Amino acid sequence: MAETSNTDIKKLTFERAIEELESIVKRLEEGKVPLEESVAIYERGEGLKSRCEELLRQAEARVEKITLDASGKPAGTTPLDVD
């Protein structure tokens, strides 16, 4: 079942994954979830967090900055340096 959950997570969009992650955090903060369920949803939350981070890294890799030539005109693009 955990493998199915991981496969399911890998198909989620960023918006859907973050929405579900926020829901899990809220449920855990309320403290009304039985221990066994808390552990299960916490584990799913970790998977969702990883998915969001992966999607953000992919988006950052696609963002480019425009380079200008000596006269100030666009000359091309280079990968964005996010460090």
Side-chain angles (χ1 to χ4, degrees):
M1 183 172 167
E3 190 172 316
T4 303
S5 291
N6 287 338
T7 302
D8 178 45
I9 288 173
K10 290 179 181 179
K11 294 179 182 178
L12 293 176
T13 63
F14 177 82
E15 292 77 12
R16 180 66 187 112
I18 198 82
E19 179 182 295
E20 187 176 341
L21 182 56
E22 289 171 347
S23 173
I24 286 172
V25 169
K26 182 179 178 183
R27 289 182 66 201
L28 290 172
E29 286 178 344
E30 289 173 353
K32 298 179 183 176
V33 182
L35 179 60
E36 190 172 320
E37 186 180 350
S38 291
V39 172
I41 64 174
Y42 179 85
E43 289 172 347
R44 179 149 176 96
E46 284 293 317
L48 291 164
K49 176 182 161 279
S50 293
R51 175 65 176 160
C52 290
E53 289 171 342
E54 172 191 2
L55 291 170
L56 286 173
R57 277 192 303 274
Q58 289 173 8
E60 287 175 346
R62 290 177 28 208
V63 172
E64 296 178 324
K65 64 180 178 179
I66 297 172
T67 57
L68 305 176
D69 63 16
S71 64
K73 294 182 181 177
T77 60
T78 59
L80 177 67
D81 182 12
V82 293
D83 291 331

